[in-house]
Amino acid sequence: MADEALVEKVKETLDAFRPQLNADGGDMEFIQIDDENKVHLKLTGACGSCPMATMTLKMGIERYLKETCPEISEVVQD
């Protein structure tokens, strides 16, 4: 399990990205950071059923998160 400082930094970064999802009627829920430093998220609202959700996850959220938290290896949807 990731340390609390990393979890807090990831949550703050996700909160900064959240308005972009909210603008399209979507949101995300932080699940956990696993032992491989993968961030597990659940896309909700409009993002949960959107055909572009994978692209949003990888090209948007993951890219943004890796810029601010380089120790993160990947973002995956649960």
Side-chain angles (χ1 to χ4, degrees), residues 1-3 11 25-26 29 32 34 38 42-43 52-55 65 67 69-72 75:
M1 196 67 156
D3 67 45
K11 286 182 177 181
E29 178 184 331
Q32 70 170 350
D34 67 20
K38 292 181 183 177
K42 179 180 181 185
L43 295 177
M52 300 300 285
T54 302
M55 182 179 286
L65 196 55
E67 286 175 10
C69 305
E71 53 272 70
I72 295 302
V75 176

Side-chain angles (χ1 to χ4, degrees), residues 13-30 41-48 50 52-62 64 75 77:
T13 302
L14 293 175
D15 284 343
F17 191 87
R18 189 177 311 277
Q20 294 180 47
L21 297 178
N22 295 156
D24 291 326
D27 206 350
M28 64 185 146
E29 178 184 331
F30 173 81
L41 298 176
K42 179 180 181 185
L43 295 177
T44 60
C47 293
C50 176
M52 300 300 285
T54 302
M55 182 179 286
T56 299
L57 192 74
K58 293 296 183 180
M59 303 300 282
I61 299 169
E62 182 177 287
Y64 185 70
V75 176
Q77 183 172 343

